[in-house]
């Protein structure tokens, strides 16, 4: 069975097919998607994984005794006289082969293995710190680009309204209902808005470049949607000290303390020397008997007070140093976070005031000025002044919202594994 499509209907179908790609929704980038992309392409995390793997491999090797030593040589070879360079005529000349093995104490091997495991734990904590920084930095880069995008859209909207206003003022001037000054003022307003828009394009381009560092060039150019809810955070503001004990910086410092403590215990174990056993076989000329030698060697720690004890004291001092640094770091983080919490809560309160009082009042003033001008009771200059005030207020509100959101990101991703927003 054959079907035929009429020409008019065929043209409609072709037109719909041609328009179909343009009707597809443009790709966009949300806040969480930006963070996921940043984590996915981060080479810093790859480096930390390699450091962790390296330390774990070393932990296996560190727990093994040293390789045995093979020795081969000639002893007591004559160099002058009738037996010069003969390996068989002098009874003292021997061809010797031996094997030596150091027997490291098992507690030392355990401590060496433990030390490398501590290194792996430090590297793992470093990965948590890197992850926290990636989430925070990529999130702040997204927020900066998002709010600059919103500010640009606001300026673009105001510019379109000003251009429409210019058309209306020129028509009123031609009809004798407005003065030439109104038209000139409107053109001046347009020029100012175009200049602001150009500067905003520059800022947005720089912000997109900063975002591209985390998500790549292609994704950084996509429209940004889906801003996070920044009016609450997972941090326990009432008990910051105990909550911040899980900060990646402090976790890393705790593991450094454990590493320093292991070094101190290893230095204490080194006060007991290891011993080495050696077995060798010496072959002489056919007229003489072969010989076997067995021996044990042991380091003589004859001055422990100036060597081993000093090393132990140094390691113990490093433990105290790491603990003091951890305590100071906790105090510094608590003070820093309290300041951030104050800024964040103040920003939320100010935003509430802008949304409920300042912006509605400015909008009402602009509508009143516009209605008065349209009714012939006001001037266009009053309308332009009211619009400029409204635009400045809207830009200030967006700037305040951006700063509040950036402060929230600093708080939200201090402890990324607990964050409700972290991917």
């Amino acid at each position: 069975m054959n079907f035929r499509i009429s020409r008019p209907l065929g043209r409609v179908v072709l037109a719909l097919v041609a328009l179909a790609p343009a009707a597809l929704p443009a790709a966009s980038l949300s806040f969480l998607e930006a963070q996921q992309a940043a984590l996915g392409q981060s080479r810093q995390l790859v480096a930390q994984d390699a450091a962790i793997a390296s330390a774990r491999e070393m932990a296996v090797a560190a727990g093994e005794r040293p390789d045995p030593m093979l020795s081969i040589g000639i002893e007591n070879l004559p160099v002058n006289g009738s037996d010069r360079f003969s390996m068989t005529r002098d009874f003292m000349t021997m061809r010797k082969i031996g094997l030596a093995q150091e027997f490291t104490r098992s507690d030392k091997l355990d401590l060496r293995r433990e030390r490398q495991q501590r290194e792996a734990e430090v590297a793992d904590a470093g990965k948590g710190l890197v992850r926290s920084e990636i989430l925070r930095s990529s999130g702040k880069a997204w927020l900066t680009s998002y709010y600059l995008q919103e500010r640009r859209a606001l300026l673009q909207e105001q510019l379109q309204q000003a251009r429409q206003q210019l058309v209306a003022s020129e028509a009123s001037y031609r009809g004798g209902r407005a003065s030439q000054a109104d038209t000139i003022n409107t053109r001046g307003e347009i020029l100012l808005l175009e200049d602001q828009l150009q500067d905003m394009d520059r800022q947005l381009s720089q912000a997109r470049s900063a975002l591209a560092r985390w998500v790549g060039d292609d994704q950084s150019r996509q429209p940004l949607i889906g801003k996070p809810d920044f009016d609450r955070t997972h941090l326990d503001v009432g008990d910051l000290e105990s909550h911040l004990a899980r900060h990646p910086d402090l976790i890393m410092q705790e593991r450094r303390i454990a590493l320093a403590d292991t070094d101190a215990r290893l230095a204490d174990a080194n006060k007991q020397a290891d011993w080495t056993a050696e077995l060798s076989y010496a072959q002489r000329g056919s007229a003489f008997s072969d010989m076997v030698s067995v021996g044990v060697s042991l380091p003589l720690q004859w001055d422990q007070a100036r060597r081993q004890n000093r090393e132990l004291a140094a390691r113990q001092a490093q433990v105290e140093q790491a603990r003091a640094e951890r305590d100071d770091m906790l105090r510094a983080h608590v003070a820093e976070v309290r300041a951030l919490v104050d800024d964040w809560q103040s920003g939320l309160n100010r935003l509430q005031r802008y949304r409920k009082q300042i912006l509605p009042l400015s909008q009402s003033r602009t509508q009143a000025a516009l209605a008065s001008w349209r009714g012939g009771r006001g001037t266009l200059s009053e309308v332009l002044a009211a619009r400029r005030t409204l635009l400045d207020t809207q830009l200030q509100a967006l700037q305040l919202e951006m700063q509040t959101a950036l402060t929230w990101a600093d708080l939200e991703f201090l402890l990324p594994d607990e964050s409700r927003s972290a991917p």
Side-chain angles (χ1 to χ4, degrees):
M1 182 179 296
N2 295 325
F3 294 92
R4 297 184 63 186
I5 301 177
S6 64
R7 287 187 177 180
L9 181 58
R11 285 195 293 267
V12 170
V13 172
L14 290 175
L16 291 175
V17 172
L19 291 174
L24 292 175
S28 59
L29 182 68
S30 70
F31 181 79
L32 292 180
E33 288 171 346
Q35 289 184 315
Q36 290 170 349
L39 290 174
Q41 69 177 17
S42 171
R43 299 298 295 171
Q44 297 179 60
L45 291 176
V46 175
Q48 289 301 128
D49 286 335
I52 295 169
S54 172
R56 288 175 177 168
E57 293 294 337
M58 285 298 298
V60 177
E64 299 297 320
R65 287 190 173 88
D67 294 329
M69 296 289 293
L70 176 67
S71 60
I72 300 175
I74 299 174
E75 293 186 0
N76 304 321
L77 179 68
V79 294
N80 56 16
S82 60
D83 294 337
R84 181 175 54 182
F85 300 123
S86 174
M87 299 180 62
T88 58
R89 291 196 294 269
D90 192 290
F91 75 97
M92 294 184 65
T93 302
M94 295 178 288
R95 289 161 290 186
K96 183 180 178 181
I97 182 170
L99 193 65
Q101 174 67 59
E102 177 185 300
F103 290 91
T104 309
R105 297 170 57 88
S106 60
D107 58 338
K108 287 186 183 180
L109 294 177
D110 291 340
L111 286 170
R112 290 174 184 175
R113 184 186 302 111
E114 180 182 339
R115 188 191 184 285
Q116 292 300 322
Q117 290 171 346
R118 298 295 184 208
E119 290 277 10
E121 291 171 359
V122 170
D124 185 64
K127 181 180 179 180
L129 186 61
V130 168
R131 185 174 187 272
S132 173
E133 179 60 28
I134 291 172
L135 290 174
R136 182 167 56 251
S137 297
S138 62
K140 293 178 72 173
W142 188 95
L143 288 169
T144 301
S145 296
Y146 174 83
Y147 281 105
L148 289 176
Q149 171 187 280
E150 293 298 298
R151 295 180 72 186
R152 187 192 185 283
L154 179 60
L155 284 171
Q156 186 68 45
E157 180 183 355
Q158 291 291 334
L159 180 59
Q160 291 175 355
Q161 292 180 4
R163 286 169 176 166
Q164 293 172 359
Q165 192 71 48
L166 177 61
V167 174
S169 65
E170 288 177 342
S172 298
Y173 172 67
R174 289 191 298 269
R177 297 189 304 274
S179 66
Q180 188 177 15
D182 290 337
T183 302
I184 295 174
N185 289 336
T186 305
R187 287 175 179 169
E189 185 73 12
I190 290 174
L191 290 174
L192 287 175
L193 287 171
E194 288 175 343
D195 182 71
Q196 284 185 279
L197 189 62
Q198 182 178 355
D199 185 61
M200 188 60 62
D201 286 336
R202 175 190 61 81
Q203 296 181 44
L204 183 57
S205 176
Q206 293 177 349
R208 294 280 187 168
S209 296
L211 180 60
R213 181 254 185 271
W214 300 105
V215 303
D217 291 334
D218 292 339
Q219 293 195 73
S220 69
R221 290 191 289 266
Q222 295 175 355
L224 307 181
I225 61 171
K227 69 177 181 179
D229 178 14
F230 58 85
D231 61 349
R232 58 192 180 93
T233 178
H234 74 284
L235 280 178
D236 185 359
V237 179
D239 190 14
L240 282 178
E241 189 160 339
S242 62
H243 202 178
L244 289 179
R246 298 187 292 277
H247 190 286
D249 276 341
L250 292 163
I251 292 176
M252 175 174 281
Q253 193 62 25
E254 291 283 358
R255 293 179 180 178
R256 285 174 176 163
I257 293 172
L259 175 60
D261 181 69
T262 303
D263 282 335
R265 289 188 288 123
L266 184 57
D268 186 48
N270 284 333
K271 294 175 66 176
Q272 298 185 10
D274 301 321
W275 57 278
T276 301
E278 182 177 1
L279 173 65
S280 62
Y281 180 84
Q283 184 183 50
R284 300 196 291 177
S286 59
F288 312 105
S289 299
D290 294 343
M291 293 186 175
V292 173
S293 299
V294 179
V296 175
S297 59
L298 185 71
L300 297 178
Q301 298 180 351
W302 59 275
D303 195 8
Q304 283 197 0
R306 294 180 61 84
R307 297 192 60 178
Q308 284 79 14
N309 289 351
R310 294 300 179 95
E311 181 183 355
L312 175 58
R315 297 300 185 185
Q316 290 172 339
Q318 288 174 353
V319 176
E320 292 305 315
Q321 176 189 357
R323 286 174 177 162
E325 289 174 347
R326 186 263 180 200
D327 294 340
D328 183 73
M329 186 181 294
L330 176 58
R331 293 193 189 100
H333 277 304
V334 170
E336 178 186 3
V337 171
R338 281 176 179 163
L340 288 173
V341 169
D342 290 341
D343 289 343
W344 171 62
Q345 291 177 339
S346 174
L348 290 178
N349 292 334
R350 292 180 62 200
L351 274 175
Q352 196 77 357
R353 187 180 302 112
Y354 264 90
R355 291 166 179 169
K356 290 188 175 181
Q357 298 176 9
I358 299 176
L359 281 172
L361 181 61
S362 184
Q363 289 168 350
S364 298
R365 187 185 298 117
T366 302
Q367 292 171 358
L370 184 60
S372 179
W373 176 71
R374 286 174 176 170
R377 298 184 304 275
T379 65
L380 185 58
S381 297
E382 293 174 344
V383 175
L384 295 176
R387 279 187 172 171
R388 168 56 62 180
T389 301
L390 175 60
L391 176 61
D392 290 341
T393 303
Q394 290 172 325
L395 291 175
Q396 290 171 8
L398 277 175
Q399 179 68 22
L400 175 59
E401 185 173 337
M402 181 176 74
Q403 292 300 329
T404 305
L406 292 175
T407 304
W408 166 84
D410 284 329
L411 292 171
E412 184 67 9
F413 300 105
L414 284 173
L415 313 178
D417 291 336
E418 302 179 15
S419 171
R420 58 184 169 83
S421 301

